[in-house]
Amino acid sequence: MLRFPLSFGPMVIPGLLEAMVSSKRIFDFLTAGEIDFTAIDREPYDRDSPSTGADDVLVSIEDGTFKWLSTDEPTLRDVNLQCRRDELVAVIGKVGAGKSSLVSAMLGDMIKCQGRVRIRGTVAYVPQQAWIMNATLRDNILFGSSYNEDFYERVIDACALRPDLDMLPGGDQTEIGEKGINLSGGQKARVSLARAVYARADVYILDDPLAAVDAHVGKHIFTQVLGPQGLLKSRARILITNAVQYLSNVGHIVMLQDGAVIDQGSFAQSMARQSSIFEFIHRYIDESQSSKATSDASNTASDNEYYEDEPTNIEQNGEILPKGVGIRRKSTKQTLGRASVGLMHGAHGQRGKRGTQQQSVVPLTDTGRTMTTEVSRQGHVEWSTYQTYAKACGASNSAMFALALLSASVSNVCANMWLKHWASSNTDTDVGLFYATVTHSVVYYLLIYGGLGLLGASMNSLQSLLLWTRCSIRASTKIHQNMLISVLRSPMSFFDVTPLGRILNRFSSDLQRCDEMLPRSVSSMVNTMVNVISAVSVIGLSTPLMLVIMFPLAFVYRYLQQRYLYSSRELRRLDSTTRSPIFAHFQESIGGVSTIRAYSQQPRFIYENEHRVEQNIRAYYTYLSLNRWLSLRLETLGNTVMLGTTLLAIVSLQYFGYGDAGLVGLAVTYALDFTSSLNWSVRSYTEVENSMIQLERVTEYAALPSEAPEVIEDKRPSAEWPERGVVEFKDYSTRYREGLDLVLKGLSFRVLPSQKVGIVGRTGAGKSSLTLALFRIIEAAGGQILIDGEDIAKYGLFDVRSKLSIIPQDPVLFAGSVRENLDP
């Protein structure tokens, strides 16, 4: 009876240690420093109130000093800034002057050392690096607000998104991948700007939104959105920019240098007194003077293709007039209206529906889908999955484990039988012709019993050592290595359609269960099944009539096991499938936490996270309830076996005189153990199959389609290749993945050695796709790419990529020192 408590005792100690470590980590996290939300004085503002006017200051910073960490030196010092309700304030300065830090200070993301920050009304924020959700393009723009078709169309046109909607397969119902994977940098910036405009906030904080767009598109956006005649003309706007061509159209200019405001004033004032702003503007003009003619011609040609901006009275005869000259200002009363907040998920009956769209909105079709839906397998786990785990453990390790397990079980039964023989020998008094009682000393029995016990203990220890130090570690290492290599060798199309949360779920939760739960479940299943076989053998030997009862009970056990297995297996799959959206949503929310806080959307994202957690917990709680269902029935059957064994043994001895008292006592002992062993055998068998579901999901990612080989031994270029550097495209065509349209169609051109070639084109024309094709990130659908006359498709990827270098559009920095990033 003490076997199970003692065997599970050692498992409790690591669990307690893990719980202590986890609780300490959670405690440290919960007690860590948090943002002081009281550092920013947030006040409501009613634009329609008769007491409000054009001179109302909506954003003000007075003697503000800010830093990122409590141990750092202040990043911003003695900052003073004001923005009125319909004013456009431009913040300029060199790289590293503190412009983006000023934005973070206004949003409350920095530590305020001194001063006062006051913001009246709602806030909309456009970050420097656009944050795009994994949702439809419309959902990214609405961002929790209800849909207003008229204003929505105005925002689309003002933010220059109309041509992009025409290009996307599903229009504004096209699903945008994680981090805007299927949008260009300019498109992401314009979607982020459209989100801010649609919010119809009182205060707009724009961190260099024009940097990622083309010059002619930037001009259109400034005219239609940000400028004195744009959609936001009646709102307070703080624009971080170094685009000096627009400074004549702003109300106030603030210049930062080394984290301090060194100059501020209107454009006319700065030009008149030739201040630091004047020097900054003219330095920019001097640096760009040599390329001005070329850029003007390019902009003129591009404007005709995209947007023919209406002539404004800001520019006349090529001269930029000071602000206010020739401008007829409209009323600064509210012109945009206010955004109404959409439902989060509605009532209980509407929990699964998106609240950001009305019932009339066309649902997302497969045409606009980007991310694939995670589909779990159905039915039993295939035997190939079991074979995969056995191969990962190693054939020799598995054989030694089975031998040690069998030896331990046999020695345990022999020890009990010897104990029974010892007890029976003390009561033997009959001396027959052929049977004579041979008496032995107690030491004799103790030595044999101790030897059998020592052998069993040794085999049990060897079994555990083999399981955890040889089989488990080798299998975990092999499985993780295969999955990691497979994911790293997958083509980029896999990452385009697979959320990162799903990949993280496979590498964290699923792999952890393969590492910890699967070996434990296998060990428990084998041990309990051996115990059941031993118990049935001993009970059948002592009480043969009990076998008549046990055979029908075996079918009942099998029936309950199958009922439990079918349900628990699918619940496990559902549990794993519903966990991936939690990882994906949490990672996405962390990436856009500044934007979420700026829009005051924390409750909506918290609710969405809780909703996804609840979906996962529903499957887990159902699984626990199913365990209780099984436990009740197994305990009842086990008690039936115990009752039958005891009654039949007593009847046999008392009324028929059949049986050996020692053997009957051993049978009753095994019957007591039989109940728990059989319960655990049913549980452990189903737990093994449930754990194999995690292995099934892991091996699925270990067999992903791979890129081309890294090295093709019989097709390796010479060490000097490429010697000249002639790049030639011959009727080249490519697509991002099967089923999509071609992004490059019949492209042919040649780049000679030492030539500097500029590749230009509208957003979505294929400029980035061209560089991806050179590195064979996307493979050819037709044609060739030749470097020094050699087709790069015949070489391995390592031989091709190691000869090329690139500065990507979205830079990637790794955690570590600057030197490690420069020379990894």
Side-chain angles (χ1 to χ4, degrees):
M1 296 299 291
L2 292 176
R3 184 184 305 161
F4 275 95
L6 290 177
S7 62
F8 280 96
M11 300 181 186
V12 176
I13 298 175
L16 288 175
L17 294 176
E18 290 179 7
M20 292 172 60
V21 173
S22 300
S23 62
K24 185 179 183 303
R25 287 164 59 89
I26 294 174
F27 177 81
D28 293 340
F29 173 75
L30 294 177
T31 57
E34 297 182 355
I35 289 179
D36 183 11
F37 290 100
T38 62
I40 309 297
D41 296 334
R42 290 289 187 96
E43 301 176 6
Y45 183 74
D46 185 4
R47 305 181 68 88
D48 297 325
S49 175
S51 59
T52 61
D55 294 331
D56 292 345
V57 176
L58 298 192
V59 180
S60 66
I61 302 178
E62 301 174 3
D63 300 325
T65 299
F66 307 90
K67 57 184 177 181
W68 285 106
L69 298 175
S70 57
T71 57
D72 291 349
E73 292 293 324
T75 305
L76 299 173
R77 298 179 178 86
D78 301 326
V79 176
N80 289 277
L81 182 144
Q82 284 189 349
C83 183
R84 294 178 175 82
R85 59 172 276 170
D86 61 346
E87 188 177 21
L88 174 58
V89 175
V91 179
I92 62 174
K94 296 180 180 179
V95 175
K99 303 186 296 297
S100 295
S101 297
L102 179 62
V103 170
S104 299
M106 287 186 286
L107 295 176
D109 292 339
M110 296 184 70
I111 299 175
K112 185 181 72 174
C113 302
Q114 67 178 33
R116 182 187 182 192
V117 181
R118 182 186 180 208
I119 296 180
R120 303 174 65 188
T122 56
V123 176
Y125 169 51
V126 180
Q128 191 173 25
Q129 297 292 332
W131 175 69
I132 304 298
M133 300 185 299
N134 178 207
T136 65
L137 188 139
R138 179 181 293 184
D139 287 339
N140 271 280
I141 295 175
L142 299 183
F143 203 56
S145 302
S146 55
Y147 181 63
N148 183 323
E149 184 176 1
D150 293 337
F151 185 68
Y152 178 81
E153 296 298 330
R154 290 176 59 195
V155 171
I156 292 296
D157 291 328
C159 295
L161 284 170
R162 183 67 62 188
D164 303 299
L165 295 186
D166 296 337
M167 283 195 312
L168 294 174
D172 65 352
Q173 291 296 315
T174 300
E175 183 184 13
I176 308 302
E178 283 189 333
K179 300 180 180 179
I181 191 69
N182 50 338
L183 297 179
S184 67
Q187 288 172 329
K188 288 188 284 187
R190 281 178 277 135
V191 169
S192 180
L193 178 63
R195 174 194 300 156
V197 176
Y198 192 85
R200 286 162 280 188
D202 298 303
V203 176
Y204 284 82
I205 300 176
L206 309 118
D207 192 358
D208 209 0
L210 304 178
V213 300
D214 300 332
H216 59 282
V217 178
K219 178 182 177 183
H220 172 87
I221 290 175
F222 188 86
T223 303
Q224 300 295 327
V225 180
L226 306 176
Q229 296 189 9
L231 279 177
L232 304 181
K233 61 180 177 291
S234 62
R235 306 300 164 116
R237 292 145 288 158
I238 298 177
L239 174 64
I240 309 297
T241 185
N242 278 338
V244 299
Q245 64 268 31
Y246 305 119
L247 295 183
S248 61
N249 300 328
V250 305
H252 196 76
I253 305 173
V254 177
M255 183 172 181
L256 288 176
Q257 182 175 322
D258 298 329
V261 177
I262 62 171
D263 190 16
Q264 60 179 309
S266 66
F267 181 81
Q269 293 171 350
S270 301
M271 295 299 103
R273 65 173 184 262
Q274 297 188 357
S275 60
S276 299
I277 297 175
F278 175 84
E279 296 176 0
F280 181 84
I281 294 174
H282 277 270
R283 187 183 303 114
Y284 170 84
I285 294 175
D286 292 340
E287 291 174 355
S288 60
Q289 193 69 34
S290 59
S291 60
K292 183 176 186 300
T294 304
S295 63
D296 286 345
S298 175
N299 289 345
T300 303
S302 300
D303 287 343
N304 292 331
E305 183 181 352
Y306 286 93
Y307 295 98
E308 193 68 39
D309 293 332
E310 295 293 332
T312 64
N313 49 8
I314 307 302
E315 298 181 20
Q316 294 178 0
N317 300 325
E319 297 181 1
I320 300 177
L321 300 181
K323 182 184 182 301
V325 178
I327 300 176
R328 183 180 177 183
R329 299 299 301 273
K330 295 182 179 180
S331 172
T332 57
K333 283 292 183 182
Q334 179 177 334
T335 58
L336 295 182
R338 288 200 177 274
S340 57
V341 179
L343 301 175
M344 282 183 278
H345 278 288
H348 293 285
Q350 301 289 332
R351 291 182 68 88
K353 299 180 180 179
R354 291 191 177 275
T356 56
Q357 300 179 10
Q358 296 178 347
Q359 297 295 328
S360 59
V361 176
V362 179
L364 179 65
T365 60
D366 290 339
T367 306
R369 283 201 74 87
T370 299
M371 294 297 177
T372 56
T373 302
E374 187 172 17
V375 179
S376 60
R377 297 186 183 181
Q378 303 292 327
H380 65 87
V381 178
E382 298 178 357
W383 279 107
S384 59
T385 306
Y386 292 89
Q387 294 173 359
T388 300
Y389 189 73
K391 290 179 181 178
C393 291
S396 59
N397 295 332
S398 301
M400 288 190 293
F401 170 75
L403 183 61
L405 177 66
L406 182 62
S407 301
S409 177
V410 171
S411 62
N412 182 41
V413 174
C414 290
N416 290 329
M417 294 296 292
W418 180 255
L419 193 62
K420 170 260 173 189
H421 172 69
W422 185 4
S424 300
S425 65
N426 292 331
T427 60
D428 284 341
T429 56
D430 297 334
V431 178
L433 181 62
F434 301 102
Y435 300 96
T437 301
V438 181
T439 59
H440 296 283
S441 64
V442 176
V443 177
Y444 170 77
Y445 292 104
L446 281 176
L447 285 176
I448 295 179
Y449 182 73
L452 291 172
L454 184 61
L455 177 62
S458 301
M459 291 297 102
N460 278 320
S461 300
L462 180 61
Q463 165 199 336
S464 298
L465 286 173
L466 287 172
L467 176 66
W468 291 104
T469 62
R470 299 293 295 273
C471 297
S472 176
I473 292 178
R474 188 181 188 277
S476 299
T477 304
K478 197 76 174 176
I479 292 169
H480 177 267
Q481 184 180 14
N482 291 342
M483 183 168 65
L484 181 62
I485 292 175
S486 177
V487 171
L488 293 180
R489 294 277 298 136
S490 297
M492 287 305 298
S493 58
F494 167 75
F495 299 97
D496 292 345
V497 299
T498 306
L500 293 180
R502 190 180 303 169
I503 301 175
L504 289 176
N505 187 25
R506 303 287 174 115
F507 275 95
S508 56
S509 177
D510 292 336
L511 199 58
Q512 181 195 16
R513 292 188 179 182
C514 292
D515 294 344
E516 296 183 5
M517 297 298 297
L518 188 53
R520 188 175 299 148
S521 301
V522 170
S523 175
S524 177
M525 180 191 70
V526 176
N527 278 304
T528 52
M529 283 189 172
V530 170
N531 290 337
V532 168
I533 294 173
S534 302
V536 170
S537 302
V538 173
I539 292 173
L541 183 63
S542 63
T543 314
L545 290 176
M546 190 60 200
L547 295 177
V548 179
I549 301 176
M550 294 186 70
F551 277 114
L553 288 178
F555 287 102
V556 177
Y557 267 100
R558 179 62 178 172
Y559 171 75
L560 292 176
Q561 183 191 51
Q562 291 299 317
R563 288 286 300 272
Y564 173 75
L565 180 60
Y566 293 153
S567 302
S568 63
R569 184 172 55 206
E570 300 309 319
L571 284 172
R572 279 291 193 183
R573 284 175 172 148
L574 186 61
D575 174 61
S576 300
T577 304
T578 55
R579 188 180 290 109
S580 297
I582 300 175
F583 284 94
H585 181 264
F586 183 76
Q587 182 190 34
E588 185 178 69
S589 301
I590 293 298
V593 64
S594 296
T595 303
I596 295 170
R597 283 202 293 250
Y599 284 88
S600 299
Q601 292 281 338
Q602 299 98 313
R604 186 166 72 93
F605 279 81
I606 292 173
Y607 184 88
E608 180 66 24
N609 180 266
E610 292 175 347
H611 173 68
R612 298 186 184 213
V613 172
E614 287 174 2
Q615 293 293 105
N616 178 255
I617 290 178
R618 287 172 61 186
Y620 184 68
Y621 277 179
T622 308
Y623 177 75
L624 294 180
S625 301
L626 192 62
N627 277 331
R628 295 302 93 210
W629 177 89
L630 178 68
S631 177
L632 177 64
R633 284 152 180 80
L634 291 183
E635 291 290 342
T636 303
L637 289 177
N639 293 332
T640 303
V641 173
M642 179 62 195
L643 178 63
T645 302
T646 307
L647 287 177
L648 288 176
I650 293 175
V651 169
S652 299
L653 286 174
Q654 185 69 24
Y655 295 101
F656 299 102
Y658 175 79
D660 181 80
L663 190 59
V664 168
L666 184 62
V668 172
T669 303
Y670 268 94
L672 289 170
D673 187 51
F674 178 79
T675 301
S676 57
S677 295
L678 194 56
N679 291 352
W680 277 105
S681 66
V682 173
R683 286 179 179 277
S684 57
Y685 175 77
T686 54
E687 189 62 33
V688 166
E689 181 146 353
N690 290 336
S691 298
M692 283 294 174
I693 291 173
Q694 267 66 45
L695 181 63
E696 180 184 69
R697 289 165 54 84
V698 169
T699 53
E700 179 186 347
Y701 269 37
L704 294 172
S706 177
E707 288 185 307
E710 290 190 346
V711 175
I712 302 175
E713 293 297 339
D714 57 344
K715 295 286 185 180
R716 301 208 65 176
S718 62
E720 296 79 16
W721 181 84
E723 297 182 29
R724 301 171 57 209
V726 178
V727 179
E728 184 176 2
F729 281 69
K730 281 189 174 181
D731 197 26
Y732 184 83
S733 301
T734 186
R735 56 171 56 90
Y736 277 94
R737 59 183 183 274
E738 291 296 328
L740 297 183
D741 297 333
L742 295 173
V743 291
L744 298 177
K745 306 171 185 177
L747 195 64
S748 297
F749 67 92
R750 191 178 188 190
V751 180
L752 299 177
S754 303
Q755 266 191 325
K756 297 180 180 178
V757 177
I759 300 175
V760 297
R762 52 168 293 188
T763 298
K767 304 185 293 296
S768 298
S769 302
L770 189 66
T771 60
L772 295 179
L774 271 173
F775 282 84
R776 290 180 62 188
I777 301 295
I778 51 178
E779 295 287 0
Q784 294 176 306
I785 298 179
L786 306 178
I787 298 181
D788 278 2
E790 299 289 341
D791 187 359
I792 64 173
K794 68 180 182 180
Y795 296 139
L797 295 180
F798 174 79
D799 291 330
V800 173
R801 293 172 181 174
S802 61
K803 303 295 184 179
L804 304 174
S805 183
I806 187 174
I807 301 175
Q809 187 177 21
D810 294 324
V812 176
L813 297 179
F814 298 96
S817 64
V818 176
R819 180 167 184 171
E820 289 174 344
N821 277 277
L822 292 175
D823 186 14

